[in-house]
Amino acid sequence: AQTVTQSQPEMSVQEAETVTLSCTYDTSESDYYLFWYKQPPSRQMILVIRQEAYKQQNATENRFSVNFQKAAKSFSLKISDSQLGDAAMYFCAYIGYSGAGSYQLTFGKGTKLSVIP
Amino acid sequence: NAGVMQNPRHLVRRRGQEARLRCSPMKGHSHVYWYRQLPEEGLKFMVYLQKENIIDESGMPKERFSAEFPKEGPSILRIQQVVRGDSAAYFCASSPSTGYTDTQYFGPGTRLTVL
């Protein structure tokens, strides 16, 4: 079974600084996708960035980038020039085949990010 | 282009009552997933449906929970005889097809509180 581990329950960053959130996962698959979702206080799940496992190039979306280390099964999220609006829970997720007919997301427990003005 | 719609956003039920949660997928999406988020936890998969079919309910509790996605209308997650432990946020996601390449887009969730 796939597992996703986020070892930092809480993090904080000064506004305009850079912060990195960690995520490790376990899978026996060779092709898969990884995601970072943001959940602000409104509780809406917002897709931040996704990474295809067969691509060696790290994904970037504006101020968000990932450091994907496939051999180490590590998938960290870097937020540059942090803004107050970045304060939220961040969930790392893996999509894999359930064995029962669906591709389902497996989520970590989340990292609560606070941004200090 | 509306996103995934869920209603109600908040639902309060007393123990023993029934809860019905509705989800309308994004336009053009025929694949619906339900996830549950318990307090201080990540989301956990419950069930995957296509129109008129339950494909994978491996994450659904065996009793009191059911789901449907009729030919017309929204997908419904139904919880009968609710108990306090059912209090959680329930999220629906949709995708245009199913596979590991397909991003699932989430609705705003329904927060169920059982008194």
Side-chain angles (χ1 to χ4, degrees):
Chain A
Q2 297 95 0
T3 58
V4 177
T5 302
Q6 293 180 251
S7 58
Q8 306 151 315
E10 295 187 28
M11 296 272 295
S12 61
V13 62
Q14 291 282 148
E15 197 175 1
E17 296 294 309
T18 296
V19 64
T20 298
L21 309 183
S22 302
C23 172
T24 58
Y25 60 95
D26 189 26
T27 181
S28 57
E29 301 294 326
S30 58
D31 288 332
Y32 47 88
Y33 274 59
L34 295 161
F35 303 85
W36 280 97
Y37 282 90
K38 170 185 177 181
Q39 188 179 48
S42 67
R43 302 186 73 89
Q44 171 81 52
M45 293 292 286
I46 301 166
L47 177 65
V48 175
I49 198 165
R50 73 175 196 170
Q51 173 77 42
E52 303 164 66
Y54 61 86
K55 281 192 175 179
Q56 293 189 346
Q57 186 174 7
N58 289 322
T60 62
E61 286 287 342
N62 301 315
R63 298 182 296 107
F64 298 87
S65 62
V66 299
N67 182 3
F68 174 49
Q69 303 288 330
K70 190 173 183 180
K73 295 180 181 173
S74 170
F75 181 59
S76 60
L77 175 70
K78 185 170 87 170
I79 307 173
S80 304
D81 186 25
S82 297
Q83 301 175 359
L84 294 177
D86 295 333
M89 283 290 286
Y90 286 82
F91 292 97
C92 177
Y94 164 99
I95 191 163
Y97 185 62
S98 70
S102 74
Y103 286 84
Q104 59 186 250
L105 288 163
T106 299
F107 287 85
K109 289 194 172 185
T111 296
K112 184 176 182 180
L113 178 67
S114 301
V115 181
I116 303 165
Chain B
N1 187 12
V4 179
M5 311 284 284
Q6 287 187 252
N7 67 80
R9 293 292 307 276
H10 300 276
L11 183 61
V12 179
R13 286 287 178 266
R14 297 192 179 279
R15 281 178 295 171
Q17 292 184 320
E18 179 180 287
R20 280 182 176 247
L21 289 62
R22 285 176 288 278
C23 168
S24 297
M26 285 179 72
K27 188 176 180 180
H29 289 193
S30 59
H31 301 258
V32 167
Y33 311 78
W34 286 92
Y35 291 82
R36 178 166 67 174
Q37 184 180 29
L38 294 170
E40 309 301 323
E41 296 282 329
L43 282 69
K44 289 200 166 35
F45 171 80
M46 298 180 74
V47 62
Y48 160 57
L49 311 98
Q50 295 178 22
K51 283 285 186 181
E52 300 185 276
N53 287 301
I54 298 174
I55 307 300
D56 180 0
E57 54 185 348
S58 59
M60 193 100 98
K62 293 287 185 283
E63 296 178 355
R64 302 187 297 107
F65 285 72
S66 62
E68 63 179 23
F69 190 15
K71 188 176 180 181
E72 302 290 337
S75 175
I76 306 284
L77 180 68
R78 183 180 176 207
I79 311 172
Q80 294 179 288
Q81 298 175 334
V82 296
V83 301
R84 290 236 173 95
D86 297 332
S87 294
Y90 292 83
F91 289 89
C92 166
S94 74
S95 64
S97 57
T98 190
Y100 72 88
T101 61
D102 291 289
T103 297
Q104 295 177 21
Y105 295 91
F106 283 83
T110 294
R111 192 162 191 175
L112 173 65
T113 301
V114 180
L115 301 177

